Every structure is written in C-alpha cells, then in structure tokens.
Amino acid sequence: MSEATYKARYWQHAKRREEECPTLEEAVTFLAYSLYDYGVLSPADVVGPDGTVVLEGEALTERMMAAYGD
C-alpha cells in the first residue's frame, strides 16, 4: 500500500506496530475502537502520508473519544 495512507501507530505486547488506513478519520477510529472495545493496544500517534506525525498526545485522545462517541 504505497498510496497516500495514514498510519495509526500503537504499542501492543511491548512492540510498536502500525495499521495503514486510507483516511485520518479511519486511523483515529481504528485506534479508538481497538482501545475502548477490545483493550488490546496503547495508541501512540497517527502519521500522515508525508511521514510527519499529525496527531498525538491529548489531541489524539480527544479525537479518539469523539470518534468513539463519548
């Protein structure tokens, strides 16, 4: 997948992993539901198509909560 994608990066079982998503909203939603529904990961950040971090920390948490419906 080398098209313009966002990477939802997270920690799982002491390893840093990432999930490629076609949009920023899908990356945020992936992290939100994986954390709040399944508790299987710890969100780190979201990286944009150009390789820069576009969301992290409190801003990421707020977007995740909004995506989840809180």
Side-chain angles (χ1 to χ4, degrees):
M1 222 185 215
S2 64
E3 301 233 354
T5 59
Y6 289 83
K7 293 185 175 96
R9 299 194 304 189
Y10 56 94
W11 290 95
Q12 184 177 34
H13 307 297
K15 292 185 182 180
R16 189 159 189 162
R17 302 177 187 273
E18 61 185 39
E19 177 75 19
E20 289 190 3
C21 302
T23 67
L24 176 59
E25 290 309 313
E26 288 186 41
V28 170
T29 300
F30 167 80
L31 292 172
Y33 279 82
S34 295
L35 172 64
Y36 299 131
D37 277 356
Y38 306 113
V40 296
L41 57 81
S42 179
D45 55 31
V46 177
V47 176
D50 64 355
T52 61
V53 174
V54 295
L55 276 176
E56 64 183 338
E58 188 175 331
L60 175 58
T61 301
E62 289 174 3
R63 290 282 290 270
M64 288 171 50
M65 289 172 61
Y68 193 74
D70 279 342

